[in-house]
Amino acid sequence: MLRCINMLNPPDKGEIYLRGERINTPDTNLNSVRTRIGMVFQHFNLFSHLKAIDNVSIGLRRVKKISKEEAHMKALKSLESVRMAEWAEHYPAQLSGGQQQRVGIARALAMEPDVILFDEPTSALDPELIGEVLQVMLDIAKAGTTMVVVTHELGFAKAVASEMIFLDNGVVIERGTPQHFFVSPKSDRAKKFLKQLEVLYGTHEEIIEFTDKEETM
């Protein structure tokens, strides 16, 4: 779904709108559209030969065509927003997985997109590193940035999301507020999913408590 939204995989049918503008038409300028859609990948996708500051600034220079000096300033500000400014001169190999993911988030933020897409941003991390990434995402949400997040971190989703969408085999099964999804889902598939979680982790409240503990480990 994320790859359809940013048109890496144009959908076979249907319509995609970004701020009221349909973006999957034959005459759409895809390069222009993609500057408005940030992407944070599951496996970081940083350039190993570039320092953190350069990983963040390269898109500003090559896509937005701004000067090296201005790009550097914007990149540093973006790194500050994810608590990575002190690591700006380090290469990816010198950073932990959580730090690399925060650089990836800074890279997306620096472009000042209309929306940022997150592809399971914590799934490649060790448990103790998940919390630092989720906290940064929580800060971004509080700042009013629109995010579309694919995640299995249910405690985080409940705390941050304004709307939750439950997909099964590419089909939207359930959608609504977190309160609706966790307390009164309508579909049998969503009910079965939550029931399976209860078997594993306990009641609804215990599920959320369990996932919250995972995030802060």
Side-chain angles (χ1 to χ4, degrees), residues 134 152-156 201 206-216:
L134 294 184
H152 293 99
E153 301 288 346
L154 297 185
F156 172 76
Y201 306 126
E206 290 170 328
I207 292 170
I208 300 305
E209 181 182 359
F210 177 84
T211 52
D212 284 342
K213 285 180 179 178
E214 280 190 322
E215 293 161 16
T216 54

Side-chain angles (χ1 to χ4, degrees), residues 4-216:
C4 286
I5 292 174
N6 64 16
M7 297 296 290
L8 289 175
N9 290 114
D12 297 322
K13 58 183 179 179
E15 300 175 347
I16 302 173
Y17 289 87
L18 180 62
R19 290 195 179 276
E21 174 190 349
R22 186 179 174 188
I23 61 173
N24 63 323
T25 63
D27 58 347
T28 296
N29 184 331
L30 291 183
N31 289 330
S32 176
V33 166
R34 286 174 183 148
T35 65
R36 300 166 56 194
I37 303 176
M39 183 76 184
V40 176
F41 297 91
Q42 185 174 354
H43 295 288
F44 322 140
N45 283 18
L46 299 181
F47 295 109
S48 60
H49 65 292
L50 296 180
K51 297 177 181 179
I53 188 73
D54 297 319
N55 264 284
V56 177
S57 66
I58 189 170
L60 294 168
R61 291 187 285 113
R62 295 192 176 181
V63 177
K64 289 203 167 183
K65 308 297 183 183
I66 67 176
S67 68
K68 184 177 180 180
E69 293 74 19
E70 184 181 358
H72 184 91
M73 291 178 58
K74 284 181 175 290
L76 187 58
K77 183 178 180 180
S78 187
L79 285 170
E80 288 175 350
S81 72
V82 298
R83 308 182 189 93
M84 283 297 294
E86 62 183 289
W87 299 91
E89 299 299 322
H90 289 67
Y91 290 94
Q94 298 172 302
L95 304 175
S96 70
Q99 289 172 326
Q100 290 185 61
Q101 191 60 292
R102 282 191 278 160
V103 173
I105 294 173
R107 178 175 57 187
L109 285 172
M111 298 295 287
E112 299 178 332
D114 293 325
V115 60
I116 301 179
L117 312 178
F118 290 82
D119 181 12
E120 297 200 46
T122 61
S123 64
L125 301 178
D126 292 333
E128 66 268 21
L129 301 177
I130 291 175
E132 65 185 60
V133 173
L134 294 184
Q135 183 58 56
V136 166
M137 294 175 66
L138 181 61
D139 293 341
I140 294 171
K142 288 180 178 178
T145 300
T146 300
M147 304 187 297
V148 178
V149 184
V150 175
T151 183
H152 293 99
E153 301 288 346
L154 297 185
F156 172 76
K158 183 176 185 291
V160 174
S162 57
E163 181 179 16
M164 292 185 64
I165 299 174
F166 181 69
L167 292 173
D168 184 35
N169 291 320
V171 177
V172 176
I173 302 298
E174 192 92 24
R175 66 186 299 171
T177 64
Q179 178 72 10
H180 159 79
F181 179 76
F182 286 109
V183 177
S184 55
K186 303 301 181 184
S187 67
D188 291 337
R189 180 66 181 87
K191 291 176 182 178
K192 180 181 178 182
F193 171 76
L194 292 172
K195 188 65 177 179
Q196 288 174 329
L197 292 185
E198 286 185 14
V199 171
L200 288 173
Y201 306 126
T203 64
H204 159 64
E205 289 76 14
E206 290 170 328
I207 292 170
I208 300 305
E209 181 182 359
F210 177 84
T211 52
D212 284 342
K213 285 180 179 178
E214 280 190 322
E215 293 161 16
T216 54

